[in-house]
Amino acid sequence: MGKLMAVLIVAVVVALCLADRARSDASDHRYKVGDAVPLYANKVGPFHNPSETYRYFDLPFCIPAHLKEKKEALGEVLNGDRLVSAPYKLDFQRDKESEVICQKKLTREEVAQFRTAVVKDYYFQMYYDDLPIWGFIGKVDKEGKDPSEYKYFLYKHIHFDIAYNKDRVIEINVRTDPDALVDLTEDKEVDVEFMYTVKWKETATPFEKRMDKYSQSSSLPHHLEIHWFSIINSCVTVLLLTGFLATILMRVLKNDFVKYAHDEESAEDQEETGWKYIHGDVFRYPKYKSLFSAALGSGTQLFTLTVFIFILALVGVFYPYNRGALFTALVVIYALTSGIAGYTATSFYCQLEGSNWVRNLLLTGCLFCGPLFLTFCFLNTVAIAYTATAALPFGTIVVIVLIWTLVTSPLLVLGGIAGKNSKAEFQAPCRTTKYPREIPPLPWYRGTIPQMAMAGFLPFSAIYIELYYIFASVWGHRIYTIYSILFIVFIILLIVTAFITVALTYFQLAAEDHEWWLRSFLCGGSTGLFIYAYCLYYYYARSDMSGFMQTSFFFGYMACICYGFFLMLGTVGFRAALLFVRHIYRSIKCD
């Protein structure tokens, strides 16, 4: 049943993502000489602030006589795409030389608007036959040392170089004429004649490989070397850690088993020490059972979501500039996997002898979605205030609410009912005593926060090299396509998280501290806190992002992503620790 569900989820998401691909105006991408090829202007914005984008015609460019808005899929809208028909006419295999779009007198306000855009390094993005193209709208001449002497220019002549193979468009490049400039330095009315030139040339590149050039940047030899160095570094970390921990734990545990077996034979009344001493408390259910179970349910769902996203990435669904495919997949898979969260949380809650499973189910539904919704409301309000394309239209918000109401919530409830009726038992190998033992005084480094710092550092060190490329792709203009390497790094992350949590749990039990449940979850999830700390470093040291909107988007959405990592890796850490604790207490005789 589980395998069938997994196949259905992948099939649905692939169909939805490929539907975006098929909805091009010319779905077969074949043209005859002189045919109109769809060209859409998408957005403009500061180059260093990828979230701060605006509609193309928010700047006073020449507006075509018949402005047509392209219908967009959910993922495209979430991605901030707002495609409208561009003023340029690039008919198939028709060369044009200095074609005039329009002559326009820019008012002082429009000159100031363009000048502000040039100062902020505005770029434009368009799609020609579904191929992305970019260019800058102007340049700053900094010959004078003093900023008051800088000159600001607008490009008024764009050159399109297009390659074709038989009846298909293969490649398009845009360049601006460095000699055709409009001076925007002074606040005065300016006459502008916007022009464009089109040159066509034949190429032997097949249509199937036309997107390859966009993914090649992340596969260049020097980039691949860095990625492989990252993997080798991570693998060495894993081997050293697992080898060290396995050796230590096996030797220590072997000695423990021998010692406890000898103690049982020699002196029944001898006082026990170490982790066996607390066998009557180690399976005592944690405080806040409902919250703990909800966190496990949400973490399991996010883990499942991540695995499905990797499957789709590895089969090639997320090719470069498949507009919004990733966002579509995230929304749909999250909705379809909510039953897993409901089942896991309620089943575990009932195993812990919890009584109010309905409240537990509500908590599970809100634990991740609640903070995400509040963050979205705040950031969407900021985007509306900026009139940015990141502000979601009312219709899209209604669609997301309907998905949550009609798909996510019912599946969550069904999963919860199935979990409640599963009648699974906790299967503790030792009976729990009526009253808990007092935990002996422990040194400061055995506290929760120092242990979390130790637990989070090693998994983070295994992934931090790859993090830069992911950040540069999500919060910049790089393209990330080496999903196989990313998947290997993800596996390494899971292994290191599980091993370090098991080790710290053992040392905690050996110190006769039996409150390991929540600690193992916090230690496993602490890598999420390290990733958020890396966000601070990336923002101030590795990026040129600025402004309130971009800053709030970066730290707001990264907080949600890191919180998701915390829940997911916390679940992995706890599950590994639970397996280990059950194993060692099964191996000894305990009353």
Side-chain angles (χ1 to χ4, degrees):
M1 184 68 183
K3 287 181 181 177
L4 179 63
M5 187 68 181
V7 171
L8 281 171
I9 289 173
V10 171
V12 168
V13 176
V14 169
L16 283 167
C17 292
L18 293 181
D20 291 353
R21 189 178 184 173
R23 285 184 315 95
S24 166
D25 286 24
S27 56
D28 61 350
H29 297 282
R30 293 184 183 276
Y31 306 97
K32 295 174 184 174
V33 176
D35 279 0
V37 183
L39 172 66
Y40 289 102
N42 186 13
K43 51 194 176 186
V44 293
F47 183 75
H48 298 296
N49 288 358
S51 301
E52 188 185 339
T53 53
Y54 304 93
R55 292 174 182 271
Y56 183 79
F57 291 111
D58 282 354
L59 290 177
F61 288 113
C62 297
I63 300 176
H66 303 288
L67 191 67
K68 186 177 105 181
E69 291 198 6
K70 187 176 186 295
K71 288 184 179 178
E72 290 158 330
L74 174 65
E76 290 177 308
V77 178
L78 293 173
N79 197 37
D81 292 335
R82 303 290 185 271
L83 277 69
V84 293
S85 50
Y88 310 101
K89 302 296 178 191
L90 312 185
D91 298 333
F92 193 68
Q93 290 190 43
R94 289 273 193 258
D95 286 356
K96 292 183 179 180
E97 188 66 47
S98 301
E99 183 92 0
V100 176
I101 307 170
C102 75
Q103 291 181 328
K104 188 171 184 177
K105 181 184 278 291
L106 297 177
T107 63
R108 292 176 64 180
E109 290 77 17
E110 289 173 334
V111 168
Q113 198 176 350
F114 269 128
R115 185 170 62 246
T116 302
V118 171
V119 169
K120 291 183 177 180
D121 252 353
Y122 267 45
Y123 70 99
F124 64 82
Q125 186 193 39
M126 299 182 184
Y127 282 94
Y128 182 66
D129 191 40
D130 282 350
L131 291 171
I133 49 179
W134 309 264
F136 286 98
I137 68 165
K139 70 169 187 175
V140 182
D141 186 349
K142 297 183 178 179
E143 284 187 7
K145 290 184 179 179
D146 191 80
S148 61
E149 297 175 16
Y150 290 174
K151 291 192 172 181
Y152 306 97
F153 297 99
L154 175 71
Y155 295 125
K156 64 176 183 178
H157 192 170
I158 293 181
H159 292 258
F160 295 95
D161 298 310
I162 310 172
Y164 68 95
N165 185 349
K166 295 177 182 175
D167 57 352
R168 292 180 182 269
V169 176
I170 303 300
E171 185 179 347
I172 180 167
N173 292 302
V174 173
R175 53 193 173 85
T176 46
D177 189 340
D179 298 320
L181 302 169
V182 180
D183 193 342
L184 305 171
T185 310
E186 297 178 22
D187 273 328
K188 62 178 183 181
E189 293 186 348
V190 178
D191 289 312
V192 184
E193 190 176 53
F194 288 102
M195 297 180 292
Y196 67 105
T197 295
V198 186
K199 297 289 182 187
W200 288 82
K201 64 176 181 180
E202 196 165 4
T203 180
T205 306
F207 179 79
E208 292 73 24
K209 293 189 175 180
R210 72 175 191 160
M211 300 302 287
D212 286 0
K213 79 166 194 172
Y214 301 106
S215 58
Q216 281 168 356
S217 61
S218 62
S219 305
L220 292 173
H222 66 281
H223 282 305
L224 276 177
E225 281 177 17
I226 295 169
H227 287 293
W228 282 115
F229 171 75
S230 165
I231 284 197
I232 292 166
N233 169 59
S234 304
C235 284
V236 169
T237 304
V238 170
L239 286 172
L240 286 174
L241 178 69
T242 51
F244 172 74
L245 291 178
T247 307
I248 295 291
L249 288 178
M250 283 175 70
R251 288 186 66 179
V252 170
L253 281 171
K254 187 179 178 184
N255 292 338
D256 285 350
F257 291 145
V258 170
K259 176 176 175 290
Y260 294 146
H262 177 71
D263 288 349
E264 282 166 11
E265 290 170 11
S266 60
E268 291 294 327
D269 59 341
Q270 186 177 333
E271 189 179 348
E272 296 172 337
T273 57
W275 53 268
K276 189 188 177 187
Y277 175 67
I278 55 168
H279 64 78
D281 297 280
V282 77
F283 293 105
R284 189 178 304 282
Y285 300 146
K287 299 173 185 175
Y288 314 114
K289 286 187 282 193
S290 188
L291 178 63
F292 189 77
S293 303
L296 279 181
S298 297
T300 307
Q301 180 187 6
L302 293 170
F303 177 74
T304 312
L305 168 68
T306 308
V307 170
F308 276 123
I309 290 294
F310 270 116
I311 291 170
L312 293 175
L314 292 169
V315 298
V317 172
F318 305 133
Y319 63 91
Y321 301 105
N322 182 3
R323 293 188 303 272
L326 177 60
F327 288 103
T328 302
L330 284 169
V331 170
V332 172
I333 295 175
Y334 185 83
L336 294 176
T337 54
S338 60
I340 293 170
Y343 178 84
T344 307
T346 311
S347 171
F348 197 77
Y349 181 66
C350 291
Q351 285 180 41
L352 300 184
E353 298 173 7
S355 54
N356 198 342
W357 67 275
V358 176
R359 188 181 67 179
N360 173 249
L361 202 58
L362 288 171
L363 188 58
T364 306
C366 298
L367 196 65
F368 182 72
C369 281
L372 182 64
F373 176 73
L374 292 174
T375 305
F376 162 75
C377 288
F378 171 71
L379 295 178
N380 204 55
T381 305
V382 172
I384 290 168
Y386 273 74
T387 64
T389 59
L392 294 191
F394 180 72
T396 305
I397 295 172
V398 169
V399 168
I400 292 172
V401 169
L402 285 174
I403 290 172
W404 195 84
T405 308
L406 302 177
V407 181
T408 308
S409 298
L411 286 176
L412 182 75
V413 171
L414 287 173
I417 293 169
K420 177 183 174 290
N421 295 330
S422 64
K423 301 282 193 297
E425 293 183 3
F426 183 68
Q427 298 175 341
C430 300
R431 282 182 300 179
T432 302
T433 56
K434 191 172 183 181
Y435 301 105
R437 289 184 187 272
E438 188 178 346
I439 298 169
L442 298 171
W444 66 269
Y445 56 84
R446 288 194 180 274
T448 303
I449 292 174
Q451 296 283 295
M452 286 175 67
M454 273 189 270
F457 177 74
L458 275 169
F460 175 76
S461 68
I463 64 167
Y464 82 97
I465 295 175
E466 211 63 26
L467 271 183
Y468 169 74
Y469 290 95
I470 297 165
F471 273 60
S473 172
V474 175
W475 300 104
H477 300 280
R478 281 179 182 265
I479 299 164
Y480 194 98
T481 56
I482 316 175
Y483 300 116
S484 53
I485 288 180
L486 188 60
F487 184 64
I488 294 169
V489 171
F490 177 67
I491 297 295
I492 290 168
L493 173 65
L494 297 181
I495 293 170
V496 180
T497 301
F499 263 85
I500 195 70
T501 309
V502 164
L504 290 173
T505 301
Y506 170 77
F507 293 128
Q508 183 182 355
L509 296 177
E512 300 175 12
D513 180 356
H514 54 79
E515 294 181 348
W516 63 275
W517 297 69
L518 184 60
R519 176 81 64 86
S520 64
F521 191 95
L522 293 173
C523 286
S526 59
T527 307
L529 302 178
F530 275 83
I531 296 173
Y532 199 66
Y534 180 82
C535 293
L536 291 165
Y537 164 75
Y538 181 84
Y539 181 85
Y540 290 107
R542 303 302 293 270
S543 79
D544 294 311
M545 291 186 271
S546 61
F548 178 72
M549 178 183 166
Q550 182 61 46
T551 304
S552 58
F553 263 69
F554 178 74
F555 286 109
Y557 281 128
M558 281 312 302
C560 292
I561 292 168
C562 292
Y563 175 52
F565 263 92
F566 175 80
L567 292 172
M568 179 179 74
L569 295 176
T571 301
V572 170
F574 170 73
R575 290 292 184 186
L578 181 60
L579 279 172
F580 170 75
V581 173
R582 272 184 175 152
H583 174 73
I584 63 171
Y585 281 96
R586 273 202 196 101
S587 304
I588 61 167
K589 293 177 183 176
C590 48
D591 299 325

